[in-house]
Amino acid sequence: MKCKKVCRLLPLLAGSDLPPRENEEIKAHLQICAQCQREYESYLLSYRKTKEWLERSQEDWPEEEWQGLIQKAIQGEELVPSLRPRWRLKRAWAYALITGAAVILSLFIMRFSIFRDKTGWGAKEDADLAIQQESISMTMVSHETGLKIVWFFNKNFEIKEEK
Amino acid sequence: MKSEEELVEEALNGNHASFELLLRPYRQGLLNMAVRMTGNTEDAKEICQAAITKVYKYLKNFRKGQSFRNWLLKILVNSSYDLLRQKKRATEIIESQKNADQVRGSAVEEKFLQSEIREKIQVCLQDLTPKEKSAFLLRDQEGYSIQETSEVLGCSPGSVRVHLSRARKKIRRRFQKIYENKEARA
């Protein structure tokens, strides 16, 4: 195992939170690497000290306060009316609005296309477009001579050239 | 001595004394966890109140065979996340601590020597995110296994290891800073 990987796992080793295999591999590495060993000892020291502090610093409720807390909980009197942030509710409303808008929009589009089919509304525009599409042109201009050639293709792909 | 399941049953039937008896073994643990999460007793008590109110309200949803302690801590941790988020404490604390660090500088050691153990803990925990803090406290303070911690936090054991590893790294960095200053002064 390389030093980089060992260093990454040292915080977990300090608290014995590694699987046995990795544990053994790292410990074998620590026996041959003084730098990693020093790192490990420093993790171990901070781990043990904080654990000791956590154990020594224990707070408790005064009996009256504890009883009052239970009473308030039973009566449903929260000190804070709601700890749930309001944005969560807002987000739910936003999702509902977006979904609703999407449904209305899709219904509108569907209705519009049905109306188009039934009345033939927009058919003239479609026909004009089809006429326009009956021929296409391609223009080529020479930069050196200024010669301009235009090729016209009809729907049968017959070519007509203009210079 | 009644079992937790019996006490839950009685509490659901409206026996308030049973509800109190059910929570009594965890009262100290709840307060300590909340104090470490928030960094002050007032907010901690507020969180405990909110958590216990939720416990009473949703006791009917508690499944038999489930660990009551885990369920209780899960509610407490979530309540503390909500409070931290609502009050924007998470960012405010970090910001204020960043600014305070510059002021502290060489005074870290003095502060460390003079302060109580509780303050030392707060100094070590100040860089941790709420997730890292809860993973660290459940594992190193409450003595939960990685698996149990993952159940309480509602994430995978792998994520717990990541949070725990980051937490211990940050704590060590803070710890080293304190000791470096101490040695430099000596």
Side-chain angles (χ1 to χ4, degrees):
Chain A
M1 210 179 256
K2 288 184 179 173
C3 288
K4 199 178 169 186
K5 194 180 176 188
V6 170
C7 284
R8 215 179 60 229
L9 295 171
L10 285 179
L12 294 174
L13 182 74
S16 311
D17 292 316
L18 285 173
R21 203 172 133 248
E22 273 183 322
N23 218 38
E24 280 171 25
E25 277 180 43
I26 295 175
K27 283 197 171 161
H29 176 89
L30 293 180
Q31 284 181 339
I32 54 164
C33 181
Q35 202 181 337
C36 289
Q37 177 65 30
R38 271 198 302 277
E39 279 280 295
Y40 174 59
E41 279 165 11
S42 123
Y43 272 115
L44 212 56
L45 179 70
S46 74
Y47 171 76
R48 283 179 183 159
K49 271 282 174 196
T50 42
K51 217 169 153 66
E52 185 194 313
W53 291 338
L54 288 170
E55 277 164 18
R56 280 171 64 189
S57 159
Q58 295 288 325
E59 293 190 35
D60 202 357
W61 296 91
E63 189 57 35
E64 273 179 27
E65 211 173 323
W66 171 252
Q67 292 297 341
L69 184 105
I70 297 289
Q71 282 310 310
K72 275 182 187 164
I74 289 166
Q75 288 159 13
E77 289 175 20
E78 281 189 71
L79 288 179
V80 191
S82 170
L83 286 174
R84 187 165 284 272
R86 282 185 179 177
W87 63 265
R88 282 197 190 174
L89 292 172
K90 280 183 187 167
R91 195 170 60 170
W93 277 108
Y95 283 138
L97 270 172
I98 290 166
T99 317
V103 169
I104 290 167
L105 193 69
S106 53
L107 282 172
F108 179 75
I109 290 166
M110 276 169 67
R111 236 184 120 78
F112 182 71
S113 58
I114 291 165
F115 172 75
R116 246 176 95 109
D117 292 346
K118 278 183 181 171
T119 58
W121 186 78
K124 191 179 175 297
E125 285 84 351
D126 288 349
D128 288 348
L129 197 70
I131 290 161
Q132 281 168 17
Q133 287 298 311
E134 277 192 354
S135 64
I136 55 167
S137 65
M138 200 170 152
T139 310
M140 290 160 286
V141 181
S142 165
H143 283 288
E144 288 167 359
T145 59
L147 180 69
K148 191 174 172 184
I149 300 169
V150 184
W151 286 350
F152 291 95
F153 296 93
N154 64 11
K155 61 182 174 184
N156 298 323
F157 215 67
E158 287 161 353
I159 188 166
K160 196 176 102 186
E161 191 179 86
E162 273 180 23
K163 286 188 182 176
Chain B
M1 186 82 180
K2 285 175 183 169
S3 71
E4 277 183 349
E5 280 189 9
E6 285 172 325
L7 289 171
V8 169
E9 205 62 46
E10 285 177 10
L12 284 172
N13 290 331
N15 188 339
H16 297 163
S18 296
F19 181 64
E20 197 274 327
L21 276 175
L22 182 67
L23 291 170
R24 185 161 279 273
Y26 309 112
R27 65 180 221 173
Q28 204 178 351
L30 282 178
L31 182 63
N32 284 309
M33 183 83 184
V35 168
R36 313 270 190 259
M37 285 297 291
T38 57
N40 69 76
T41 316
E42 289 73 36
D43 282 350
K45 285 179 178 173
E46 206 172 302
I47 286 170
C48 287
Q49 179 70 72
I52 291 172
T53 307
K54 277 183 196 166
V55 168
Y56 188 76
K57 195 175 170 186
Y58 299 109
L59 196 62
K60 56 184 178 295
N61 297 344
F62 175 72
R63 292 193 307 271
K64 279 182 184 174
Q66 198 184 356
S67 161
F68 183 75
R69 189 185 175 211
N70 285 7
W71 187 65
L72 184 61
L73 277 173
K74 194 173 189 169
I75 292 174
L76 183 86
V77 168
N78 287 336
S79 298
S80 64
Y81 287 166
D82 283 348
L83 186 89
L84 287 171
R85 219 180 283 134
Q86 195 189 33
K87 292 190 170 181
K88 294 180 182 171
R89 279 285 164 84
T91 47
E92 279 172 19
I93 288 170
I94 291 164
E95 284 305 311
S96 65
Q97 280 161 356
K98 274 181 188 166
N99 297 335
D101 281 351
Q102 292 164 354
V103 179
R104 274 178 204 149
S106 60
V108 166
E109 179 231 348
E110 206 164 312
K111 185 141 185 141
F112 181 69
L113 286 172
Q114 289 167 1
S115 64
E116 298 286 327
I117 295 171
R118 190 181 143 181
E119 203 170 334
K120 289 179 196 171
I121 296 168
Q122 287 312 324
V123 169
C124 285
L125 297 185
Q126 68 187 15
D127 298 332
L128 273 59
T129 63
K131 275 265 178 193
E132 290 163 359
K133 214 181 265 187
S134 51
F136 169 77
L137 291 171
L138 287 168
R139 177 76 186 105
D140 292 354
Q141 178 179 278
E142 299 297 317
Y144 272 46
S145 67
I146 297 281
Q147 185 61 39
E148 285 171 324
T149 308
S150 73
E151 282 165 22
V152 172
L153 297 182
C155 57
S156 69
S159 299
V160 172
R161 282 202 179 87
V162 170
H163 291 314
L164 200 56
S165 177
R166 284 182 190 155
R168 286 182 187 154
K169 261 183 203 168
K170 287 178 182 176
I171 289 170
R172 187 193 70 139
R173 204 179 302 144
R174 186 57 67 174
F175 195 80
Q176 275 181 330
K177 238 182 201 176
I178 293 164
Y179 274 91
E180 273 166 20
N181 285 337
K182 194 179 171 186
E183 279 168 16
R185 202 180 163 185

